């Protein structure tokens, strides 16, 4: 049987590259390189770009023809939208260039016959550490230790701004939601743990890791990861009925007393009703964007408002500055936007790029996620992550995470190589049925 661990040792170059990417997208996502003024570039983009440059130099990746065509169509859509809105003072030319650059990554495909499995292995290792940090982060608060943001000790210009990391469980609460210390916010922590749990349950099946990831999601008190798990739960249950079923029963039995008899559990239970509360994050993330679409819809939506204009849609009321009460829980950051609605990727494309210029972008995104995917459940989960649960389609860490976990490589024909057949069988990867030799001769 194909031994992925042995194959990793036989190919140290690519495996080390996967480790660098996985570690950067987890532990390095909050670091930026200032470019002067208001602009900065994420360290993740620089490091992953260097890794892909190395792969290109070694001949380990290639330019995928169909992705190239769809990418060029997306670029035409962005440029067309920008030209039609060239007189808008909010139009951001740096963002136009930025979008064209970062989405170019998606055109390249890695040749590794193991597909995403080596990256998954390193990702689950990184998320194991993050999960332990997240649980410890919440546990120390239970014994009265006050948390600080370690990034507040670093020079502010090298830390990503505008993220609300130190979020209280509720206004005035002494407890802070877990975010794994190294990640942007509790919502990122929750989603990244959820996809790690899905990959673990479907492919590697180590029970202790599944339990760890599931337990670590809880102190995030974020619904986005739970939405991902809920959407994929029927597939997980159908694919691993005994494992997932028994873990579900055990989790429910353990959670009932926690939810009913602890203050943290009561807070978690109250989040189920937050969609009806005007100032709740759930309403601003999922309900408010829809109402804003309806209220602001006009002919502009057919050709967009232009890249960089999304703040008009968010209706930014003010910028929270130092010494403001909202900043008590966000050490090291110079501002937090106070908005009416947090648009997701789909809404951002619809507003900034428009319906008609946005169609080729949506075609490019959908093709990359689902064409010859190694795992359709993982692709579906990450597509939900990217289009609905993520906040901005120019967020480079999310873009690179989707690429690395989902479509950095494409599933080859299972009949090409015996190792691929064994790998597909072991991890239940969809295979293309072999064509009989006689049938091929008849053709």
């Amino acid at each position: 049987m194909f031994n992925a661990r042995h194959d990793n040792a036989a190919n140290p170059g690519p495996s080390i590259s996967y480790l660098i990417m996985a570690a950067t997208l987890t532990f390095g996502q909050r670091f930026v390189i200032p470019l002067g003024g208001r602009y900065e570039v994420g360290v993740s983009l620089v490091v992953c770009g260097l890794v892909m440059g190395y792969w290109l130099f070694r001949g380990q990746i290639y330019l995928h023809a169909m992705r190239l065509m769809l990418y060029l169509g997306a670029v035409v859509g962005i440029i067309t939208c920008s030209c039609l809105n060239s007189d808008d003072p909010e139009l951001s030319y740096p963002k136009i260039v930025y979008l064209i650059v970062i989405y170019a990554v998606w055109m390249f495909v890695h040749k590794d016959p193991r597909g995403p499995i080596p990256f998954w292995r390193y990702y689950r290792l990184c998320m194991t550490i993050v999960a332990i940090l997240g649980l410890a982060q919440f546990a120390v608060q239970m014994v009265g230790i006050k948390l600080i943001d370690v990034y507040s000790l670093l020079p502010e210009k090298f830390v990503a701004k505008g993220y609300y990391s130190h979020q209280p469980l509720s206004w005035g609460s002494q407890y802070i939601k877990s975010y794994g210390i190294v990640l942007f916010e509790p919502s990122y922590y929750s989603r990244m743990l959820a996809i790690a749990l899905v990959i673990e349950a479907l492919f590697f099946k180590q029970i202790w890791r599944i339990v760890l990831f599931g337990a670590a999601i809880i102190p995030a008190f974020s619904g986005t990861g739970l939405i991902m798990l809920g959407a994929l739960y029927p597939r997980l249950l159908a694919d691993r009925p005994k494992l997932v079923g028994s873990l579900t029963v055990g989790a429910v039995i353990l959670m009932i007393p926690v939810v009913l008899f602890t203050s943290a559990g009561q807070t978690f239970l109250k989040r189920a009703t937050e969609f009806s509360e005007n100032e709740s994050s759930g309403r601003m993330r999922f309900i408010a964007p829809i109402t804003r679409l309806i209220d602001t819809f006009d002919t502009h939506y057919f050709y967009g408002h232009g890249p960089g204009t999304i703040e008009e849609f968010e209706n930014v009321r003010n910028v929270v500055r130092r010494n403001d009460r909202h900043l008590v829980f966000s050490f090291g950051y110079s501002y937090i936007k106070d908005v009416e609605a947090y648009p997701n990727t789909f809404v951002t494309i619809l507003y900034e790029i428009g319906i008609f210029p946005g169609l080729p972008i949506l075609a490019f995104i959908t093709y990359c996620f689902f064409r010859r995917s190694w795992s359709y459940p993982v692709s579906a989960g990450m597509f939900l992550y990217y289009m609905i649960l993520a906040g901005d389609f120019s967020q480079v860490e999310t873009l690179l995470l989707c690429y690395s976990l989902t479509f950095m490589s494409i599933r080859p024909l299972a009949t090409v190589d015996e190792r691929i057949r064994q790998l597909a069988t072991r991890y239940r990867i969809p295979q293309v049925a072999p064509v009989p030799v006689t049938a091929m001769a008849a053709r």
Side-chain angles (χ1 to χ4, degrees):
M1 180 172 287
F2 177 78
N3 190 325
R5 181 175 298 175
H6 174 74
D7 196 63
N8 283 342
N11 297 276
S15 293
I16 293 173
S17 301
Y18 291 136
L19 174 59
I20 292 172
M21 290 186 70
T24 301
L25 292 172
T26 49
F27 303 112
Q29 65 177 222
R30 290 179 67 177
F31 293 105
V32 298
I33 300 173
L35 300 179
R38 56 183 293 191
Y39 301 112
E40 59 193 26
V41 61
V43 168
S44 298
L45 179 61
V46 175
V47 173
C48 293
L50 291 174
V51 169
M52 294 190 67
Y54 169 77
W55 285 343
L56 187 63
F57 176 76
R58 295 288 301 270
Q60 294 167 351
I61 59 175
Y62 65 93
L63 193 62
H64 191 274
M66 189 61 186
R67 290 191 190 182
L68 172 61
M69 293 176 60
L70 291 172
Y71 168 76
L72 293 176
V75 170
V76 170
I78 293 172
I79 294 176
T80 300
C81 166
S82 303
C83 291
L84 293 174
N85 293 278
S86 59
D87 58 342
D88 191 327
E90 297 298 322
L91 182 69
S92 173
Y93 291 99
K95 185 171 183 179
I96 296 170
V97 176
Y98 189 63
L99 289 173
I100 293 173
V101 170
I102 62 176
Y103 277 91
V105 173
W106 286 13
M107 295 187 295
F108 293 92
V109 174
H110 202 292
K111 297 179 180 179
D112 194 335
R114 299 169 296 174
I117 290 176
F119 183 85
W120 287 349
R121 287 188 177 278
Y122 288 124
Y123 178 73
R124 69 200 275 260
L125 172 62
C126 293
M127 290 310 299
T128 298
I129 298 172
V130 170
I132 293 171
L133 291 174
L135 287 172
Q137 191 179 32
F138 196 74
V140 296
Q141 297 180 78
M142 299 295 103
V143 296
I145 299 177
K146 185 178 180 180
L147 293 180
I148 64 168
D149 185 348
V150 295
Y151 289 90
S152 65
L153 307 176
L154 301 175
E156 185 177 316
K157 64 181 179 179
F158 296 113
V159 179
K161 302 174 181 64
Y163 292 97
Y164 195 14
S165 57
H166 266 46
Q167 299 180 20
L169 294 186
S170 58
W171 180 249
S173 174
Q174 62 177 323
Y175 299 119
I176 303 300
K177 300 177 184 179
S178 291
Y179 59 95
I181 297 178
V182 297
L183 303 184
F184 284 127
E185 294 178 347
S187 58
Y188 284 83
Y189 170 80
S190 177
R191 293 193 297 267
M192 291 176 69
L193 280 173
I195 199 63
L197 191 155
V198 169
I199 291 171
E200 192 66 41
L202 288 177
F203 299 100
F204 301 109
K205 297 175 287 184
Q206 285 192 324
I207 295 179
W208 72 269
R209 287 188 196 267
I210 298 174
V211 173
L212 174 66
F213 294 151
I217 288 176
I218 296 171
F221 291 89
S222 173
T224 53
L226 298 179
I227 290 173
M228 288 182 65
L229 291 178
L232 294 174
Y233 184 81
R235 175 57 189 266
L236 294 175
L237 187 62
D239 203 64
R240 301 282 187 265
K242 293 183 179 179
L243 175 62
V244 176
S246 59
L247 289 175
T248 301
V249 173
V252 170
I253 292 174
L254 290 174
M255 283 298 297
I256 288 176
V258 173
V259 170
L260 294 180
F261 303 113
T262 66
S263 59
Q266 291 294 319
T267 301
F268 189 84
L269 197 62
K270 289 178 182 177
R271 296 217 63 181
T273 62
E274 72 169 13
F275 291 101
S276 61
E277 300 174 5
N278 291 332
E279 298 299 323
S280 69
S281 61
R283 184 174 182 82
M284 287 192 289
R285 187 183 295 269
F286 299 108
I287 306 299
I290 304 302
T291 58
R292 288 285 293 166
L293 280 177
I294 297 172
D295 294 341
T296 62
F297 193 88
D298 56 20
T299 56
H300 248 299
Y301 277 92
F302 292 103
Y303 56 89
H305 295 75
T309 59
I310 193 62
E311 286 192 353
E312 297 174 352
F313 178 87
E314 293 174 330
N315 194 18
V316 178
R317 294 190 291 270
N318 55 56
V319 175
V320 180
R321 301 188 182 280
R322 290 191 182 281
N323 302 321
D324 189 281
R325 64 188 179 89
H326 292 283
L327 209 62
V328 173
F329 306 101
S330 187
F331 306 106
Y333 298 153
S334 58
Y335 67 91
I336 297 175
K337 291 188 298 185
D338 188 13
V339 303
E340 281 187 359
Y342 290 115
N344 55 40
T345 297
F346 178 77
V347 172
T348 303
I349 293 175
L350 183 62
Y351 185 85
E352 288 196 341
I353 311 300
I355 295 175
F356 295 119
L359 286 176
I361 297 176
L362 294 175
F364 177 53
I365 292 171
T366 305
Y367 181 91
C368 289
F369 271 97
F370 293 107
R371 177 59 178 166
R372 285 172 63 178
S373 170
W374 282 83
S375 170
Y376 289 106
V378 173
S379 292
M382 292 306 294
F383 187 77
L384 175 65
Y385 182 137
Y386 182 74
M387 294 299 295
I388 305 300
L389 304 178
D392 185 358
F393 81 120
S394 63
Q395 217 282 333
V396 68
E397 286 77 16
T398 298
L399 181 148
L400 290 171
L401 189 67
C402 291
Y403 173 77
S404 303
L405 286 169
T406 311
F407 50 84
M408 180 164 55
S409 62
I410 59 175
R411 175 171 47 86
L413 298 180
T415 56
V416 172
D417 191 306
E418 177 63 24
R419 295 190 311 161
I420 297 175
R421 285 198 294 271
Q422 293 173 351
L423 179 69
T425 300
R426 178 178 180 181
Y427 292 105
R428 298 191 182 184
I429 293 168
Q431 302 180 67
V432 177
V435 180
V437 175
T438 53
M440 294 180 65
R443 292 181 182 178

